[in-house]
Amino acid sequence: MATFIKDDKKVLVRDQNRYRKIYRYIRKKPRPLACDDLKNVSTFTWGAYWDYFDNQSELIHEFPCCFDTPPAVIATSLARTTDDATINNPNFNVFITDITTSQCIFRTSGYYTGYVYYQALEDGVYEMPNIGKELEVQTLQWPQSSQDHYTYEFKAAFSCTPIVTVSADEDVNAFVTAISTTAVTIEVSKAGYKGKVYMQAIERGC
């Protein structure tokens, strides 16, 4: 998913009859519909991109967009055809370290050749009025008390159970074990883990 921002100040208007089949003796005048009145638009910075590993275990990546604070980054390896028309092995854990406002370092659990897809957003709760959904992004710090799991209560008011993705800043597997419209429980594969887990929760269609 991508969020696009209009640069001009003009109201976006569409003709609701432009896709209607107009018969020879039946004419319909245009029916203007204001698709964007400059209020129904998402304006936050959302970085969604990819990078390529060439038999590497770490890669410095510069964000193609600008952030005011270091973002929470979610990344995953991908089975995809490379330039030599072969499918890479995506069975690697991807984790993210050294995040700043301009770059981060992607690291993998071994020497990896292939693509890494990621999304980067600053912590916060975001409204997307153009699609009627909400999004929440948080950087969670481990440990929480003496437990290896973290039950986080959403600040966003989700009307449907959101889609939650998580990544860690060390070579551990972060995964979701319970989820509802009000909270999510996240666990990690390493006992006594001390580090960060980046979480993104986006509302899906009911």
Side-chain angles (χ1 to χ4, degrees), residues 129-201:
N130 49 334
I131 61 173
K133 303 297 179 184
E134 290 199 3
L135 167 69
E136 182 165 356
V137 181
Q138 294 294 335
T139 299
L140 307 177
Q141 185 70 48
W142 254 254
Q144 292 294 311
S145 302
S146 59
Q147 300 176 336
D148 291 327
H149 68 272
Y150 190 146
T151 298
Y152 174 79
E153 295 185 0
F154 296 123
K155 295 182 176 66
F158 294 120
S159 57
C160 303
T161 302
I163 300 296
V164 177
T165 52
V166 291
S167 289
D169 69 347
E170 290 186 19
D171 189 11
V172 299
N173 185 30
F175 52 99
V176 175
T177 56
I179 188 170
S180 68
T181 57
T182 58
V184 60
T185 298
I186 302 169
E187 297 187 26
V188 293
S189 58
K190 180 181 178 180
Y193 172 62
K194 295 181 180 180
K196 297 176 181 178
V197 170
Y198 307 106
M199 180 208 71
Q200 294 181 13

Side-chain angles (χ1 to χ4, degrees), residues 31-55:
R31 294 170 53 205
L33 173 67
C35 302
D36 176 18
D37 57 4
L38 303 182
K39 298 179 182 179
N40 250 2
V41 64
S42 304
T43 57
F44 55 88
T45 302
W46 188 340
Y49 206 60
W50 56 266
D51 216 331
Y52 185 76
F53 279 67
D54 186 8
N55 195 33

Side-chain angles (χ1 to χ4, degrees), residues 51-59 82 111-115:
D51 216 331
Y52 185 76
F53 279 67
D54 186 8
N55 195 33
Q56 298 167 271
S57 61
E58 66 178 62
L59 183 65
T82 56
Y111 285 93
Y112 172 59
T113 296
Y115 293 90

